[in-house]
Amino acid sequence: MSRIRATYWDPDGARYGIPTYWWRGAPPGYATRRQLTAAGLRPGGQPIAAQVLWRGVGGTRTAYLYRLDLARPKRTATPAQRAAIGKALTARRTCPTCATVRPYFIPRSLGECLACAYPLEDAA
């Protein structure tokens, strides 16, 4: 085992407080949040079970691991929630000045669509 890997090897949690493994050294049964999401799962309120440490840009990097047997399926939005999200996204594309629904989100810095914010540039 290399010196770098030995630094991040703590399966008992004596040094770091929780079980710690090196990059690609975690045993089966653990997954990161991204891996859970890709599998259609979520942590489901469980605490962090372990961590993976590796040397990266800017210092030591950390990825927290969750137990797969305690993970729960992802929740899906109800039809009412999907309708509310659709209305909210449409409101973000509607200009308050000209009441036109644009194919882009209205910039918050301008508060109105580009045609209303810069009327002389459209006339040219």
Side-chain angles (χ1 to χ4, degrees), residues 62-100:
T62 305
Y64 296 118
L65 301 174
Y66 300 92
R67 290 179 40 186
L68 284 173
D69 59 338
L70 297 178
R72 296 186 178 166
K74 287 179 71 173
R75 295 181 289 196
T76 58
T78 64
Q81 290 172 329
R82 289 181 187 266
I85 292 169
K87 288 179 184 177
L89 292 177
T90 302
R92 287 183 61 191
R93 294 187 297 120
T94 305
C95 176
T97 305
C98 64
T100 304

Side-chain angles (χ1 to χ4, degrees), residues 41-65:
L41 300 171
R42 61 186 171 99
Q46 65 174 300
I48 297 169
Q51 66 182 353
V52 172
L53 295 178
W54 70 96
R55 192 186 313 184
V57 176
T60 302
R61 307 288 306 263
T62 305
Y64 296 118
L65 301 174

